């Protein structure tokens, strides 16, 4: 791991009367690679605002999950509360883990909120199916064991993904790398000894779990199909690059360790 030897700010005595001596605000997230798309301002203000909003959604969702009662508003269910809290926690954790263990790639895009229109359409569709079916046929959401299985899957998926990102550290990237960096090494130990793409597997089971929590049969199938297609083709492209980077070392690793994602070899 390379060490940033740039001095983020000079001693206080050196700064008196010379504000230009500051070379970089330590709160700035200007990545060396994975440059932000620019759709969300890459500023401390934007990042802190996003963190505040995600924290608010998490707090409201967690409160609803813990304290919801059947006699409360028809839509304020523990299922919807858990979905909102887990969604907010996921996006906050993406940024937090990147900032803590992979700062050279950290930017406002690390929240993964600018993740393509289809991602937001899928989540919006899930909410729409849940609310419509809950209003028209509340009995369709009355299988607590299904939601319990989903809660366990969400927790396992989130833990697996965050653990993978922490363990890989600077070797992890939110985008597929087609050019090998000098410091890039192949990670095959830890959680990578059990899952060939643990961050992908973690997200897969996290996303599928959210639909079990909501007891959404239609979007459960939709999520499973879309995620399979996405990860199937993404792993093909990524592994082609990894074979180019690491040769037989990666080929042998791929032979030993599976993805643990259904129908993604």
């Amino acid at each position: 791991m390379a060490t940033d030897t740039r001095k983020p700010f000079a001693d206080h005595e050196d700064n008196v009367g010379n504000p230009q001596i500051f070379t970089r605000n330590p709160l700035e997230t200007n990545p060396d690679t994975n440059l932000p798309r620019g759709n969300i301002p890459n500023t401390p203000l934007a990042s802190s605002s996003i963190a505040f909003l995600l924290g608010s959604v998490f707090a409201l969702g967690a409160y609803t999950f813990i304290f919801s009662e059947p006699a409360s508003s028809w839509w304020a269910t523990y299922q919807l509360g858990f979905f909102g809290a887990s969604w907010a926690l996921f996006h906050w954790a993406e940024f937090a883990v990147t900032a803590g263990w992979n700062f050279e790639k950290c930017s406002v895009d690390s929240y993964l909120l600018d993740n393509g229109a289809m991602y937001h359409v899928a989540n919006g569709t899930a909410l729409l199916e849940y609310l419509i079916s809950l209003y028209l046929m509340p009995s369709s959401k009355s299988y607590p064991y299904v939601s319990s299985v989903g809660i366990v899957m969400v927790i396992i998926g989130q833990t697996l993904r965050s653990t993978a990102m922490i363990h890989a550290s600077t070797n992890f990237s939110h985008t597929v790398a087609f050019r090998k960096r000098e410091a890039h090494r192949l990670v095959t130990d830890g959680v990578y000894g059990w899952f060939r793409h643990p961050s992908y597997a973690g997200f897969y089971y996290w996303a599928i779990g959210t639909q079990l929590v909501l007891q959404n049969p239609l979007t459960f199938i939709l999520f499973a199909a879309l995620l399979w297609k996405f990860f199937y083709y993404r792993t093909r492209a990524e592994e082609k690059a990894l074979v180019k980077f690491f040769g037989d070392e990666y080929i042998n690793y791929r032979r030993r360790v599976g993805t643990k994602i259904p129908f993604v070899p």
Side-chain angles (χ1 to χ4, degrees):
M1 177 180 177
T3 301
D4 189 352
T5 58
R6 291 173 293 183
K7 195 174 182 181
F9 51 85
D11 293 337
H12 174 72
E13 292 81 1
D14 296 335
N15 284 325
V16 176
N18 188 15
Q20 299 301 319
I21 202 166
F22 283 90
T23 58
R24 183 176 182 182
N25 189 317
L27 292 178
E28 289 180 352
T29 52
N30 296 315
D32 297 326
T33 59
N34 293 15
L35 298 180
R37 296 181 178 90
N39 295 324
I40 304 174
N42 186 40
T43 63
L45 175 61
S47 182
S48 62
S49 299
I50 291 171
F52 174 80
L53 292 173
L54 290 176
S56 299
V57 173
F58 175 83
L60 180 61
Y63 180 87
T64 304
F65 172 66
I66 296 171
F67 297 108
S68 65
E69 298 178 0
S72 61
S73 300
W74 65 272
W75 54 269
T77 64
Y78 77 95
Q79 298 157 328
L80 190 60
F82 184 86
F83 175 78
S86 61
W87 179 87
L89 178 63
F90 169 80
H91 287 286
W92 174 85
E94 290 294 297
F95 181 88
V97 171
T98 305
W101 285 269
N102 197 6
F103 188 71
E104 66 185 37
K105 299 187 184 76
C106 187
S107 74
V108 72
D109 283 0
S110 300
Y111 285 105
L112 291 191
L113 288 169
D114 188 14
N115 205 21
M118 184 57 66
Y119 173 76
H120 297 293
V121 169
N123 280 293
T125 301
L127 285 173
L128 192 62
E129 179 186 354
Y130 179 78
L131 292 173
I132 291 176
S133 57
L134 179 66
Y135 183 77
L136 297 178
M137 195 166 49
S139 61
S140 65
K141 307 299 182 185
S142 60
Y143 303 95
Y145 59 90
V146 175
S147 291
S148 296
V149 171
I151 289 171
V152 172
M153 288 180 64
V154 168
I155 294 172
I156 292 174
Q158 180 67 69
T159 302
L160 177 60
R161 181 171 175 86
S162 295
T163 300
M165 292 173 63
I166 290 171
H167 186 70
S169 187
T170 58
N171 297 288
F172 180 86
S173 176
H174 277 126
T175 59
V176 177
F178 293 102
R179 184 173 59 183
K180 186 177 183 295
R181 296 180 300 113
E182 184 177 350
H184 190 184
R185 72 177 183 88
L186 179 63
V187 181
T188 61
D189 58 347
V191 70
Y192 286 83
W194 295 89
F195 298 84
R196 195 163 75 243
H197 296 284
S199 65
Y200 295 166
F203 182 80
Y204 178 87
Y205 291 110
W206 176 90
I208 294 298
T210 62
Q211 299 315 297
L212 288 178
V213 172
L214 296 177
Q215 298 181 33
N216 280 347
L218 296 180
T219 46
F220 176 86
I221 296 172
L222 176 66
F223 272 43
L226 290 177
L227 288 171
W228 171 83
K229 181 179 180 181
F230 176 79
F231 287 130
Y232 181 87
Y233 289 104
R234 181 166 177 127
T235 55
R236 299 285 77 76
E238 183 171 339
E239 292 186 351
K240 184 177 180 180
L242 289 170
V243 169
K244 181 180 178 181
F245 295 165
F246 301 105
D248 290 341
E249 183 183 5
Y250 187 80
I251 293 173
N252 293 330
Y253 170 66
R254 182 172 60 184
R255 188 178 298 120
R256 294 194 316 269
V257 181
T259 65
K260 308 298 192 296
I261 300 173
F263 307 111
V264 178

